[in-house]
Every structure is written in structure tokens, then in C-alpha cells.
């Protein structure tokens, strides 16, 4: 016989969700709205009743009445009824794509048409559609005509519960099609899109939205609780940098994160909030179900696409998890064999690794860590994921050890957001304008057991200026790897250095480092290493030579070229462990003025 | 001397802040979705502010508020399609299978009053007397209703254990 009372108590505690916290100001706002609405209703004349008939159908239902008192004026979105029904063709295309995606929304999700815009040339048309699916609000852009594409971007419904402006920006400067403008930026020849779209959702009282970008100031109407700004034929790198909402009585600045461009963009220098001290230090931890091979969640066979195939390479055991059904994304946790081609020795040296992968949109991202010492730095392993640089909402995902009972995101705007954790995995969608954020983990007794360093928005630094970067240095390492260093101007008056690196088809790529006019940080800034032993970076203008100290005590001298360094360790040092211990920079008087000390072996 | 009438906004706010989590969890259980349940609480307190002058001190203020919250939750639940209890949204279960007894689905099938009694008992930690006050029923009815819910859920759990 089952003791139902005890089980029910425990099970309901476990099953019922943690919801957003209390918000008395929201209650007062709702109460004020409903009182005003009632007073107004007594004054409405017969002629107005006919005009308001359509709205009354919604308001006449209990839910409609509740919705009408909605969250800060976003009532149409809460009810899922903004705008008008979408054209049948769009609804069919959406339903078809939705049915074929493992990240799809519930069948029967109805699109709503918010607004349309036509290019002055008449060659292209943009439709702004929207829908609510559970706790998610999404905008869908459909471009037809000479360019044909569709894309959607979503925001969590919970975002509307945070205090904020009467406009929530969802998409910023999303490019579609190919425009005629082309230019070199560093090592890339980039082209402007045919059009760029910025869109968002608006509260009931918003009349218009004003945006500023490189092409000037633009005011667009707020229609159907949304706004749509299309920059036709934009210049390269054109970016919206300010948005404000007009309510008829006031203008309100709207916080948002500009779309990144060449390393720039992103949110400003906000500060992370929340606790900064752990109350119970954890240096060990595990993920019980993963180690025990318990089949929680879904099979990995649910996954689709190329990323899923690479995830399944070398897998010992893994499952697909859905920590937050309000977000169209999944998180996969696997126990895998180490990848023999992994770029980092630690991932090749250990017996097994734990990998965490986030799947959202058509992309995936993740990484692996050795099982041994998995939680040696704390019980949270977190990262950020942005499927598209124009998305205003960024995924924060990762996994925690079994010790973690609750996870909370502390936002730079001073409020908090509960982060759902299921089977050690977590997923949250947070407005980039609320970054940097800090994740705080609590144990079952409510003690803080883990903190992340502030997780920051993407971009925010210097980026490449127009112009093609020029090759400056080239090296070949003893193992055959090659690297070329190129230099170009940065958009903040300094320089950008680019390093193109090739070792094998598994280990190749390019790195970019841009600086402003003023030098920041250590006079010697070098990075790289790896199995090829190629080091690169920049030194301050007064550094005339750099001395390398190897692990065996041998030394070598490097002479910077225009402040840049590209260096491959000599054959005599190749293959040794702990190749490089220190780089020391000297000025023209022979005085040491800066160094880069490598505290851990940087090479195998 | 007549009963004192009305409640102040400050009294409502104090109870809101003190009992928010319980209100939200019970409402969430009633409507089958945490965020909608939260909506119900917010709207219920907005209604309570508007109607505070109608409160008569015949019972407790908290009992009066619970009735409004449950009414709002019922309205929202009836306007929504019947959903399993927050389908697919699981609390942190680190390492343990979630909802192994399939409780969500079973709770969703319970009659409205049984659900209300269940959540008030286990999520708001209310004694039978208080539940009776909130629902406007006899204590004996509370006991019988809870017993009926237990019987159904025990059956569900026994089946899941086989």
C-alpha cells in the first residue's frame, strides 16, 4: 500500500514549477487599469459600442477580461491575438516547417499578421508575423519578391513581467538578401544585405517607435502591438544604435543591444549584480544519471542535422533534455570518449569527457570537459548561445552537479530570473540588454554553492575598420603548421591583427584581435601555443625586443615587427613538454617593462 | 455592533508578499501551468484591491483572498483547454526521473473541487478547517473530497509501480 499523503506532498513539491517572483507594482498597475477601464465603460456611448464590437468579443470572456488587464499593456500578446490572422500561405508554410522540426512549436500554433512593408522599388515585400506558443512570444519575418527568406526570433513571456519600457525589441538589423555594396573589412570581403530589419512588440499605448542608425533617424508606426523598421539597401555595417517609444504623452528610451558588427555592438558596460560569495564550497560533484546511464529525457536519435552527427561521435551514453519547454531549444548531455583530434591536450589525455550541447534554431554549440575534475571549480558549467547576431534574446545554457537544487540568474538591471534545471541541464532566454548576468546555484538548504563569473553579451569591443588587412609575418612550425599574421585598422582608431592558422583540416582557423587607439593592459600580449608551438600577438610601442624563456631554461629573442609578433618555437624545443615558460618585453634601454608568464604547461 | 467592513491596500500587500509563493503554486496547479497560475494571482489581487470595500470580517482576510485566487484560477483554467499539470515543465530533479507516477496526467483528470482541495492541502499546507472556509464547504466534505482524490491517485501510483 502506498502512503499517498507523504508521496503526494513530495511529488507535488517536485512537479510544480518555480514561477516568476512576486511583483506588487504589477498588481497595482492591473488594479488601476481595470478601474479605469470600468469607469470608461460607463461613459461609452452607443455609437462607440458598435465600433468596439470586435474588441468586446474578446473582453466578454472571463479570460479576455483578465487579459485586458494584461501585463503592462501587452494584453494582445498575452492572449495570442495581436494583429489579424496570417495569410493562408504563410500559415501553411509555417505549419509545414514546424511539423518537421524537433524544436517545433505545438501543432496548431496560429500565426498572426502584424504589419507589411514594401520596398520603394516594389521588388521586395516584408511581412511581420507573430505568435504566442505557451510561454514564448515569437516574431516571424517573411521576405518575398526578389529575395525570399523567412526567419523567426523569440522572447520569453516572462520578459514582460520584468520592469521595462513599453517596447521590447526582438530583432535588430537582421539582414536579408544581397545588396550591391561590397567592401573589405580586415581579412573578409563583406557585402551589405538587400535589406535589414528591426522589429519588436509594443504595448497598447505606444503610437510610434523612433530608431536611429547610420542612415539617420526614422519613425515607424506601432501597428497591431508591433513595430517594423526596414532599412532598404543599407550601407555596410549600418546599425541601429538608439530606439525610443512614443506613447502620445511621452517619449521613452528603449533599452536594447545593438547587433554586433565586426567585434563591436553588444551592450555597454553594465555591471553584474547578485551575491559574490559562496556559502558552501564544492570542489567535487557528479551527474548521477549520466554516470549510471539512466535513460532520462529523450533519446539522442531525436536530434536532426549535421551537428547531431558530430555530437554522436565517440559517444558512450547521452540523452537529450528539455529543461525549459518555453524555449524552442534542447540541451544534450553525453558521456563520450575523448576526441583524438581535440585541440586541447586535456581533452585527449583523459579517459572520458562530459559534453554539453545546446540546440536552437538550425545551429548547435557546446563543448566537453574531462569527467575527472568536472566540477572542481564549482557546480555550474555555463555558456551563452546566440543562434543569430540579430536576436535580442540570448540563450544561457549548461549543466550543474547533483548538489544544485535551484539556479537563479541575477541580471544587470537589478532583477532576477529563475532558471529551470531538469536532470542537471538548464536553459534560459534572457534579453541581451540585461547582460552581464551572474548565475547563482543554491543547494537544498538554500545555501549558495556556486557562482559564475559575469556572463557578458557578445561584441562590445573594437572591430575592423573598412580596408583590407595586409600580410606582415609568416611562420612554419616544426610540425608543418603554418600561420600568417595580417594587420589592418580598427574602427576605434587602433589596429587589428589577424592570424590565419593551418595545421590540419581538424585544426585551422583565424583569430582576430582589435584594439582602440590607447593601449590597454600588459605591454606584452601574446597567445597561441598549442601543439604546433606558434605564438602571436602584439606588444606596446616601447617594447623593442621580447625574450622567450623555455621550460628547459633555454632562451631566444624575438624582435617585434611594427608591434606585432608571430613566432614558432625552434625545432630544438619542439616535442618537449612545457615548451614556453615566459615572454619578457624590454625597452630600448634594455629594461624589462612587461612579461607574460605561463603558469601552467601550455603545451603537451 | 456590526462587522468591520473593508480591507486596506496595505493589508492586501502584506498578505501578498507573505503568501505569494503558496498562492502561485496552488493557482499554477489549478490551471496546469505555472505562468498562467501566476497571472491568476496577479489578477486576483488586482480584483481584491478593486473590491476591498466588499470584504466583511465574517471570515479571515486570507480566506477571502484564497477564494478570489481560486476563482481567477478556475476562470483561466476553463478558458484554456484542459492541460496536464504544467506539461513538460519539470522542477529540478537532478539525477532522478521526474513524475515517475504520471501524477500530472492524473491530477488533470480530477474534478475541480478535488484538485482545489488537493493543492490547498499539499501546496498551501492548510488544515481541513481552513480549506472548508476557503471553499465554503463543510469540514466533512473536505475530508471526503480529499479521500476520493487519494483513492484515485493511489490507484494511479499502484499501477505505475507494477
Amino acid at each position: 500500500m502506498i502512503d499517498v499523503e507523504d508521496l503526494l506532498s513530495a511529488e507535488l513539491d517536485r512537479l510544480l514549477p518555480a514561477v516568476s517572483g512576486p511583483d506588487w507594482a504589477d498588481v497595482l498597475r492591473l488594479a488601476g487599469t481595470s478601474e479605469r477601464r470600468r469607469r470608461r465603460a460607463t461613459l461609452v456611448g452607443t455609437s462607440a459600442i458598435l465600433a468596439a464590437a470586435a474588441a468586446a468579443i474578446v473582453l466578454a470572456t472571463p479570460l479576455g477580461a483578465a487579459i485586458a488587464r494584461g501585463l503592462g499593456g501587452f494584453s494582445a500578446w498575452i492572449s495570442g491575438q495581436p494583429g489579424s490572422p496570417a495569410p493562408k500561405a504563410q500559415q501553411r508554410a509555417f505549419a509545414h516547417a514546424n511539423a518537421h522540426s524537433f524544436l517545433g512549436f505545438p501543432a496548431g500554433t496560429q500565426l498572426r499578421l502584424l504589419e507589411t512593408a514594401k520596398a520603394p522599388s516594389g521588388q521586395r515585400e516584408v511581412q511581420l508575423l507573430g505568435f504566442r506558443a505557451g510561454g514564448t512570444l515569437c516574431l516571424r519575418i517573411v521576405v518575398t519578391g526578389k529575395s525570399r527568406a523567412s526567419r523567426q526570433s523569440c522572447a520569453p513571456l516572462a520578459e514582460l513581467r520584468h520592469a521595462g519600457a513599453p517596447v521590447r525589441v526582438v530583432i535588430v538589423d537582421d539582414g536579408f538578401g544581397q545588396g550591391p555594396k561590397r567592401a573589405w573589412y580586415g581579412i573578409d570581403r563583406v557585402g551589405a544585405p538587400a535589406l535589414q530589419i528591426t522589429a519588436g512588440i509594443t504595448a497598447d499605448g505606444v503610437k510610434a517607435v523612433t530608431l536611429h542608425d547610420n542612415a539617420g533617424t526614422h519613425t515607424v508606426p506601432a501597428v497591431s502591438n508591433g513595430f517594423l523598421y526596414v532599412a532598404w539597401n543599407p550601407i555596410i555595417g549600418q546599425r541601429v544604435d538608439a530606439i525610443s517609444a512614443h506613447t502620445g504623452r511621452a517619449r521613452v528610451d528603449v533599452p536594447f543591444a545593438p547587433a554586433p558588427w565586426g567585434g563591436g555592438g553588444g551592450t555597454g558596460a553594465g555591471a553584474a549584480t547578485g551575491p559574490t560569495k559562496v556559502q558552501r564550497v564544492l570542489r567535487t560533484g557528479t551527474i548521477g544519471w549520466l554516470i549510471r546511464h539512466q535513460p532520462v529525457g529523450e533519446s539522442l536519435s531525436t536530434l536532426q542535422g549535421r551537428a547531431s552527427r558530430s555530437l554522436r561521435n565517440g559517444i558512450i551514453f547521452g540523452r537529450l533534455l528539455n529543461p525549459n519547454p518555453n524555449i524552442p531549444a534542447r540541451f544534450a548531455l553525453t558521456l563520450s570518449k575523448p576526441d583524438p583530434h581535440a585541440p586541447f591536450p586535456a581533452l585527449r589525455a583523459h579517459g572520458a569527457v562530459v559534453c554539453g550541447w545546446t540546440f536552437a534554431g538550425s545551429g548547435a554549440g557546446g563543448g566537453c570537459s574531462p569527467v575527472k575534475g568536472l566540477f572542481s571549480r564549482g557546480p555550474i558549467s555555463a555558456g551563452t548561445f546566440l543562434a543569430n547576431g540579430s536576436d535580442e534574446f540570448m540563450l544561457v545554457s549548461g549543466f550543474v552537479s547533483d548538489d544544485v537544487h535551484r539556479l537563479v540568474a541575477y541580471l544587470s538591471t537589478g532583477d532576477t530570473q529563475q532558471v529551470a534545471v531538469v536532470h542537471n541541464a538548464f536553459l534560459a532566454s534572457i534579453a541581451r540588454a540585461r547582460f552581464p548576468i551572474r548565475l547563482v546555484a543554491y543547494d537544498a538548504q538554500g545555501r549558495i554553492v556556486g557562482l559564475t563569473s559575469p556572463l557578458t553579451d557578445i561584441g562590445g569591443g573594437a572591430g575592423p575598420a573598412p580596408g583590407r588587412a595586409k600580410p606582415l609575418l609568416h611562420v612554419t612550425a616544426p610540425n608543418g603548421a603554418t600561420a600568417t599574421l595580417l594587420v589592418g585598422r580598427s574602427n576605434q582608431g587602433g589596429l587589428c591583427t589577424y592570424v590565419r592558422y593551418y595545421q590540419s583540416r581538424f585544426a585551422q582557423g583565424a583569430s582576430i584581435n582589435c584594439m582602440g587607439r590607447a593601449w590597454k593592459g600588459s605591454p606584452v600580449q601574446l597567445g597561441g601555443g598549442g601543439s604546433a608551438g606558434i605564438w602571436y600577438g602584439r606588444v606596446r610601442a616601447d617594447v623593442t625586443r621580447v625574450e622567450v624563456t623555455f621550460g628547459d631554461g633555454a632562451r631566444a629573442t624575438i624582435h617585434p615587427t611594427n608591434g606585432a609578433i608571430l613566432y614558432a618555437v625552434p625545432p630544438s624545443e619542439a616535442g618537449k613538454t612545457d615548451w614556453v615558460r615566459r615572454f619578457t618585453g624590454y625597452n630600448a634601454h634594455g629594461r624589462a617593462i612587461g612579461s607574460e608568464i605561463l603558469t601552467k604547461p601550455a603545451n603537451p | 455592533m456590526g462587522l468591520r467592513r473593508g480591507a486596506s491596500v496595505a493589508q492586501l500587500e502584506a498578505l501578498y508578499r507573505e503568501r505569494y509563493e503558496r498562492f502561485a503554486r496552488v493557482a499554477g496547479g489549478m490551471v496546469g501551468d505555472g505562468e498562467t497560475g501566476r497571472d491568476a494571482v496577479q489578477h486576483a489581487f488586482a480584483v481584491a484591491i478593486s473590491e476591498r470595500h466588499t470584504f466583511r470580517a465574517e471570515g479571515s482576510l486570507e480566506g477571502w483572498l484564497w477564494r478570489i485566487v481560486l476563482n481567477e484560477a478556475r476562470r483561466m483554467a476553463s478558458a484554456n483547454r484542459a492541460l496536464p499539470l504544467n506539461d513538460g515543465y519539470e522542477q529540478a530533479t537532478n539525477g532522478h526521473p521526474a513524475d515517475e507516477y504520471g501524477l500530472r496526467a492524473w491530477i488533470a483528470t480530477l474534478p475541480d473541487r478535488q484538485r482545489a482541495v488537493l493543492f490547498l492541502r499539499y501546496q498551501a499546507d492548510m488544515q481541513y478547517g481552513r480549506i472548508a472556509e476557503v471553499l465554503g464547504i463543510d469540514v466533512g466534505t473536505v475530508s471526503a473530497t480529499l479521500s476520493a482524490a487519494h483513492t484515485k491517485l493511489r490507484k494511479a501510483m499502484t499501477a505505475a509501480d507494477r
Side-chain angles (χ1 to χ4, degrees), chain A residues 217-240:
Chain A
T217 300
H218 323 272
T219 296
V220 295
V223 178
S224 304
N225 290 95
F227 79 89
L228 171 66
Y229 164 59
V230 184
W232 304 105
N233 195 18
I235 63 171
I236 293 170
Q238 180 167 315
R239 286 294 178 265
V240 172

Short mmCIF file of all heavy atoms in Angstrom, two decimals, chain A residues 217-240:
data_model
loop_
_atom_site.label_atom_id
_atom_site.label_comp_id
_atom_site.label_asym_id
_atom_site.label_seq_id
_atom_site.Cartn_x
_atom_site.Cartn_y
_atom_site.Cartn_z
N THR A 217 17.54 59.28 -38.73
CA THR A 217 16.50 58.99 -37.74
C THR A 217 15.21 58.61 -38.47
O THR A 217 14.84 59.27 -39.45
CB THR A 217 16.26 60.21 -36.85
OG1 THR A 217 17.49 60.52 -36.19
CG2 THR A 217 15.20 59.93 -35.79
N HIS A 218 14.56 57.57 -37.99
CA HIS A 218 13.39 57.04 -38.69
C HIS A 218 12.28 56.78 -37.68
O HIS A 218 12.53 56.17 -36.64
CB HIS A 218 13.71 55.73 -39.41
CG HIS A 218 15.09 55.71 -40.00
ND1 HIS A 218 15.36 56.17 -41.26
CD2 HIS A 218 16.28 55.32 -39.48
CE1 HIS A 218 16.65 56.05 -41.51
NE2 HIS A 218 17.24 55.54 -40.43
N THR A 219 11.07 57.23 -37.98
CA THR A 219 9.94 56.95 -37.10
C THR A 219 8.96 56.04 -37.83
O THR A 219 8.57 56.33 -38.97
CB THR A 219 9.24 58.25 -36.68
OG1 THR A 219 10.18 59.02 -35.90
CG2 THR A 219 8.02 57.96 -35.81
N VAL A 220 8.62 54.94 -37.18
CA VAL A 220 7.66 53.99 -37.78
C VAL A 220 6.47 53.86 -36.84
O VAL A 220 6.61 53.98 -35.62
CB VAL A 220 8.30 52.61 -38.03
CG1 VAL A 220 9.40 52.70 -39.06
CG2 VAL A 220 8.85 52.01 -36.73
N PRO A 221 5.29 53.61 -37.37
CA PRO A 221 4.11 53.49 -36.50
C PRO A 221 4.12 52.17 -35.74
O PRO A 221 4.67 51.18 -36.22
CB PRO A 221 2.94 53.56 -37.48
CG PRO A 221 3.51 53.05 -38.77
CD PRO A 221 4.94 53.48 -38.80
N ALA A 222 3.52 52.18 -34.57
CA ALA A 222 3.29 50.92 -33.85
C ALA A 222 1.94 50.40 -34.32
O ALA A 222 0.91 51.05 -34.15
CB ALA A 222 3.28 51.17 -32.35
N VAL A 223 1.96 49.27 -34.97
CA VAL A 223 0.74 48.70 -35.55
C VAL A 223 0.54 47.29 -35.00
O VAL A 223 1.48 46.50 -34.94
CB VAL A 223 0.86 48.63 -37.09
CG1 VAL A 223 -0.37 47.99 -37.70
CG2 VAL A 223 1.11 50.01 -37.67
N SER A 224 -0.68 46.99 -34.58
CA SER A 224 -1.01 45.64 -34.10
C SER A 224 -0.05 45.19 -33.01
O SER A 224 0.41 44.05 -33.02
CB SER A 224 -0.98 44.64 -35.26
OG SER A 224 -1.84 45.04 -36.28
N ASN A 225 0.26 46.06 -32.11
CA ASN A 225 1.14 45.75 -30.99
C ASN A 225 2.52 45.28 -31.45
O ASN A 225 3.15 44.42 -30.80
CB ASN A 225 0.53 44.71 -30.06
CG ASN A 225 -0.64 45.27 -29.28
OD1 ASN A 225 -1.79 45.12 -29.71
ND2 ASN A 225 -0.37 45.97 -28.19
N GLY A 226 2.97 45.84 -32.57
CA GLY A 226 4.31 45.54 -33.03
C GLY A 226 4.87 46.72 -33.80
O GLY A 226 4.14 47.67 -34.12
N PHE A 227 6.17 46.69 -34.06
CA PHE A 227 6.73 47.71 -34.94
C PHE A 227 7.70 47.04 -35.89
O PHE A 227 8.28 45.99 -35.57
CB PHE A 227 7.41 48.84 -34.15
CG PHE A 227 8.79 48.51 -33.64
CD1 PHE A 227 9.92 48.76 -34.41
CD2 PHE A 227 8.96 47.94 -32.39
CE1 PHE A 227 11.20 48.44 -33.94
CE2 PHE A 227 10.22 47.62 -31.92
CZ PHE A 227 11.34 47.88 -32.69
N LEU A 228 7.84 47.63 -37.06
CA LEU A 228 8.69 47.07 -38.10
C LEU A 228 9.45 48.20 -38.77
O LEU A 228 8.85 49.13 -39.31
CB LEU A 228 7.83 46.34 -39.14
CG LEU A 228 8.51 45.87 -40.42
CD1 LEU A 228 9.54 44.78 -40.11
CD2 LEU A 228 7.47 45.34 -41.42
N TYR A 229 10.76 48.12 -38.70
CA TYR A 229 11.59 49.10 -39.41
C TYR A 229 12.44 48.34 -40.42
O TYR A 229 13.18 47.41 -40.05
CB TYR A 229 12.48 49.87 -38.44
CG TYR A 229 13.62 50.60 -39.13
CD1 TYR A 229 13.37 51.56 -40.12
CD2 TYR A 229 14.94 50.34 -38.80
CE1 TYR A 229 14.41 52.22 -40.76
CE2 TYR A 229 15.99 51.00 -39.43
CZ TYR A 229 15.71 51.93 -40.41
OH TYR A 229 16.74 52.58 -41.06
N VAL A 230 12.32 48.70 -41.68
CA VAL A 230 13.11 48.07 -42.73
C VAL A 230 14.07 49.11 -43.30
O VAL A 230 13.65 50.17 -43.76
CB VAL A 230 12.23 47.52 -43.87
CG1 VAL A 230 13.08 46.77 -44.89
CG2 VAL A 230 11.15 46.60 -43.32
N ALA A 231 15.36 48.80 -43.22
CA ALA A 231 16.36 49.65 -43.87
C ALA A 231 16.61 49.04 -45.25
O ALA A 231 17.24 47.99 -45.37
CB ALA A 231 17.65 49.67 -43.04
N TRP A 232 16.07 49.68 -46.29
CA TRP A 232 16.24 49.18 -47.66
C TRP A 232 17.61 49.59 -48.17
O TRP A 232 18.02 50.72 -48.00
CB TRP A 232 15.16 49.74 -48.59
CG TRP A 232 13.74 49.46 -48.12
CD1 TRP A 232 12.89 50.34 -47.55
CD2 TRP A 232 13.04 48.21 -48.21
NE1 TRP A 232 11.70 49.73 -47.26
CE2 TRP A 232 11.75 48.41 -47.65
CE3 TRP A 232 13.37 46.94 -48.69
CZ2 TRP A 232 10.81 47.40 -47.57
CZ3 TRP A 232 12.42 45.94 -48.61
CH2 TRP A 232 11.15 46.17 -48.06
N ASN A 233 18.31 48.64 -48.78
CA ASN A 233 19.61 48.91 -49.38
C ASN A 233 20.55 49.62 -48.40
O ASN A 233 21.05 50.72 -48.68
CB ASN A 233 19.41 49.76 -50.64
CG ASN A 233 20.66 49.76 -51.50
OD1 ASN A 233 21.53 48.89 -51.35
ND2 ASN A 233 20.77 50.75 -52.38
N PRO A 234 20.83 49.03 -47.27
CA PRO A 234 21.66 49.71 -46.26
C PRO A 234 23.12 49.76 -46.66
O PRO A 234 23.56 49.01 -47.54
CB PRO A 234 21.48 48.81 -45.03
CG PRO A 234 21.25 47.46 -45.62
CD PRO A 234 20.45 47.67 -46.87
N ILE A 235 23.86 50.63 -46.01
CA ILE A 235 25.31 50.63 -46.22
C ILE A 235 25.91 49.48 -45.42
O ILE A 235 25.25 48.92 -44.55
CB ILE A 235 25.94 51.98 -45.80
CG1 ILE A 235 25.74 52.20 -44.29
CG2 ILE A 235 25.39 53.12 -46.60
CD1 ILE A 235 26.53 53.38 -43.75
N ILE A 236 27.16 49.15 -45.72
CA ILE A 236 27.79 48.05 -44.99
C ILE A 236 28.00 48.47 -43.54
O ILE A 236 28.49 49.57 -43.26
CB ILE A 236 29.14 47.69 -45.65
CG1 ILE A 236 28.88 47.11 -47.04
CG2 ILE A 236 29.92 46.69 -44.80
CD1 ILE A 236 30.11 46.94 -47.87
N GLY A 237 27.62 47.59 -42.65
CA GLY A 237 27.82 47.88 -41.22
C GLY A 237 26.80 48.85 -40.65
O GLY A 237 26.99 49.35 -39.54
N GLN A 238 25.74 49.13 -41.38
CA GLN A 238 24.72 50.04 -40.85
C GLN A 238 24.06 49.40 -39.62
O GLN A 238 23.63 48.25 -39.68
CB GLN A 238 23.67 50.32 -41.93
CG GLN A 238 22.56 51.26 -41.48
CD GLN A 238 21.73 51.75 -42.66
OE1 GLN A 238 22.27 52.12 -43.70
NE2 GLN A 238 20.42 51.72 -42.51
N ARG A 239 24.01 50.14 -38.54
CA ARG A 239 23.48 49.59 -37.30
C ARG A 239 22.58 50.58 -36.58
O ARG A 239 22.91 51.77 -36.48
CB ARG A 239 24.62 49.21 -36.36
CG ARG A 239 25.36 47.95 -36.76
CD ARG A 239 24.45 46.74 -36.66
NE ARG A 239 25.06 45.49 -37.09
CZ ARG A 239 24.97 44.96 -38.29
NH1 ARG A 239 24.33 45.61 -39.26
NH2 ARG A 239 25.50 43.78 -38.56
N VAL A 240 21.45 50.06 -36.08
CA VAL A 240 20.58 50.86 -35.22
C VAL A 240 21.29 51.03 -33.87
O VAL A 240 21.76 50.05 -33.29
CB VAL A 240 19.22 50.16 -35.01
CG1 VAL A 240 18.39 50.87 -33.97
CG2 VAL A 240 18.47 50.09 -36.33
#
